[in-house]
Amino acid sequence: MRLDRITADLPTDVPLVTVVMDATRESETGNQAVLTRWKDLRRGLEGQGADEATLEALGERIRTISNAAGQHGRVLVGARGEVLLDCALATPPATDEALYEQGVNAFALARVADEHVRYLLASVDRSGMDVTFHESATASTADDGGTSYEGGHDELTKTNTGGRSHKRYESRAEDSWERNAEAVAHELDRIVTERRPEVVLLTGDVRARALVADAVGQTAKGLLAAIEGGSRSEGVKPETFRANVVAALDEFRLRRREGVLDRFRQIHGQDGAAVSGRDGVLDVLRRGQVAELVITEAVAGPPSSLAGKKLWAGDDPLQIGNHADVVEMGATAPHEVRADLALGRAALAQGAGITVVDEASVKLADGVGALLRWNDAATPNDHVFTQSADPHREGRSRVGRTQEVTEPRS
């Protein structure tokens, strides 16, 4: 998943506070539980050197109840006394985590990106359309207020007058429906071009939906997903309709994730531009080859299964590996960084996406893999060792070089 829409406004010249926490407020004591968790996280951030103004801004935002219901998590990023990002997660993290670091916690933002969907919700009837634009992972109100559009043809009802006039009225009504649908479709095409959603949820009158779906252009048609329960008029059951929207978005996210996995399985199975395993991924990240980093839920965390490992890093995010590696790459002040943070930042630095997947959906050595922009003779090839009886040799490069990932110092 591309993270550029999420990270575009985040500064790169100052340390950032990144908070990932359980924001569930289901019980009577739920609100106090959230505030207690934040108090503990804040204490840790103070110890890391985070500034008071940013902590105050984050605390004020956390005290504001998000619009996500039931069990859910929350990811917040702050700096310079401001909250820069506030997004909801459908599932609470296994553990809360707060970091004050020079650079983003890319794996935390990858979870946001996985749940982030830009979508249009279009409710149509035989006279027009109500449409709103949404960003589904935003913790606060996430629509643009919406607009209404009327087709302009008002002969909408078939009147049972009998005789020839009956057929005339019937024909006029159907003609109005079709003309209104064409006008609505034209407006929907315009909005799709302007707002560039990933999916368009179409609801409302069944006949109007069919007419609009037939009339929209190819771009919008490829984004349409019909859902039941919506209407421009009164009588909508909000809870039922909301459940239908959530189900449609979940289905879209699954298809989006599966598209990445299908490419990885196919290319990796053909020994093409894809690698699996920690050592191979480190090599291709350093060379700027990665188009998409693929990580398991365990690696994404929190807690990340790589959080207890350390890599050496230089000033450039691509300068990662063991101490000798980063010195050879020109690092003037090598320092140790958590392995999960280093991998994520290297991916973002080369414009790569990050996709979080279920462990059971694909076999990834060490829980990490990568789809590449290009490959050559020096690109790691973990298939070289698939016939080996030594499982530790899998995931190395063609030259057999193993990266040094150390346990944190006590």
Side-chain angles (χ1 to χ4, degrees):
M1 312 300 168
R2 295 301 300 267
L3 275 66
D4 47 359
R5 284 176 178 163
I6 298 172
T7 61
D9 296 328
L10 298 181
T12 58
D13 58 340
V14 295
L16 300 173
V17 174
T18 305
V19 176
V20 186
M21 65 182 300
D22 185 345
T24 304
R25 285 179 163 94
E26 284 187 308
S27 67
E28 294 181 359
T29 60
N31 187 60
Q32 186 57 47
V34 171
L35 296 181
T36 300
R37 284 194 288 271
W38 164 241
K39 183 178 179 180
D40 293 338
L41 292 172
R42 175 171 178 150
R43 188 180 302 114
L45 287 167
E46 290 171 344
Q48 296 175 51
D51 61 284
E52 182 71 15
T54 298
L55 296 179
E56 282 296 318
L58 287 167
E60 184 62 31
R61 182 64 67 87
I62 288 168
R63 284 188 285 272
T64 303
I65 299 176
S66 72
N67 65 350
Q71 291 190 337
H72 66 285
R74 202 162 174 178
V75 177
L76 303 99
V77 179
R80 296 170 174 162
E82 296 182 77
V83 178
L84 306 173
L85 186 72
D86 181 6
C87 294
L89 299 176
T91 304
T95 186
D96 298 333
E97 182 176 70
L99 298 173
Y100 181 61
E101 288 272 347
Q102 187 72 41
V104 298
N105 183 345
F107 288 177
L109 297 190
R111 286 197 174 278
V112 173
D114 182 60
E115 298 191 18
H116 189 276
V117 181
R118 292 164 54 89
Y119 70 97
L120 288 174
L121 177 59
S123 299
V124 298
D125 60 17
R126 299 178 194 189
S127 65
M129 169 181 66
D130 297 331
V131 60
T132 52
F133 177 77
H134 300 256
E135 307 244 33
S136 65
T138 305
S140 55
T141 301
D143 66 69
D144 60 357
T147 58
S148 294
Y149 180 81
E150 302 300 329
H153 296 270
D154 56 7
E155 188 78 54
L156 303 177
T157 306
K158 294 181 179 181
T159 305
N160 189 7
T161 59
R164 295 179 179 176
S165 61
H166 171 65
K167 291 186 177 181
R168 185 168 63 253
Y169 279 118
E170 193 173 61
S171 178
R172 285 180 181 174
E174 291 184 357
D175 182 65
S176 291
W177 300 346
E178 292 172 1
R179 288 179 180 271
N180 284 340
E182 290 171 359
V184 165
H186 180 75
E187 178 66 8
L188 191 55
D189 284 334
R190 183 193 68 79
I191 296 173
V192 165
T193 300
E194 179 183 297
R195 304 306 296 266
R196 301 178 67 181
E198 297 174 272
V199 64
V200 178
L201 303 183
L202 187 63
T203 191
D205 179 86
V206 175
R207 179 66 186 277
R209 282 191 342 228
L211 292 171
V212 170
D214 285 341
V216 293
Q218 288 303 309
T219 299
K221 197 181 294 289
L223 303 177
L224 288 180
I227 59 172
E228 303 295 333
S231 174
R232 298 187 75 200
S233 59
E234 299 294 330
V236 174
K237 296 180 179 178
E239 291 184 4
T240 300
F241 180 57
R242 177 59 186 165
N244 292 342
V245 170
V246 170
L249 294 177
D250 285 346
E251 183 178 344
F252 170 78
R253 292 187 189 101
L254 183 61
R255 290 199 311 270
R256 184 173 62 181
R257 192 183 307 132
E258 194 60 30
V260 174
L261 285 176
D262 282 345
R263 294 200 306 275
F264 182 86
R265 294 186 192 106
Q266 180 180 6
I267 296 172
H268 190 250
Q270 296 172 350
D271 199 12
V275 299
S276 174
R278 182 195 65 215
D279 297 337
V281 168
L282 271 172
D283 281 343
V284 293
L285 281 171
R286 286 192 302 235
R287 301 180 79 211
Q289 292 177 261
V290 177
E292 190 81 20
L293 186 66
V294 184
I295 60 175
T296 62
E297 295 272 357
V299 170
S304 171
S305 59
L306 295 179
K309 307 291 185 180
K310 295 283 188 177
L311 287 171
W312 285 90
D315 297 331
D316 188 318
L318 303 192
Q319 295 175 340
I320 55 174
N322 58 38
H323 190 273
D325 288 332
V326 298
V327 170
E328 185 180 335
M329 287 185 281
T332 57
H335 55 282
E336 287 187 309
V337 179
R338 268 176 40 178
D340 57 321
L341 300 179
L343 293 180
R345 290 167 191 167
L348 293 186
Q350 57 200 273
I354 303 176
T355 296
V356 182
V357 301
D358 185 271
E359 282 87 344
S361 62
V362 64
K363 184 179 179 180
L364 294 174
D366 306 314
V368 293
L371 282 164
L372 309 182
R373 294 187 175 91
W374 51 272
N375 66 338
D376 58 18
T379 300
N381 182 352
D382 39 300
H383 286 287
V384 169
F385 300 104
T386 55
Q387 301 302 315
S388 171
D390 180 4
H392 298 292
R393 297 180 67 190
E394 295 188 17
R396 296 183 183 180
S397 66
R398 286 190 173 96
V399 296
R401 184 178 187 180
T402 302
Q403 308 303 323
E404 179 184 348
V405 182
T406 61
E407 299 291 343
R409 295 174 178 176
S410 58

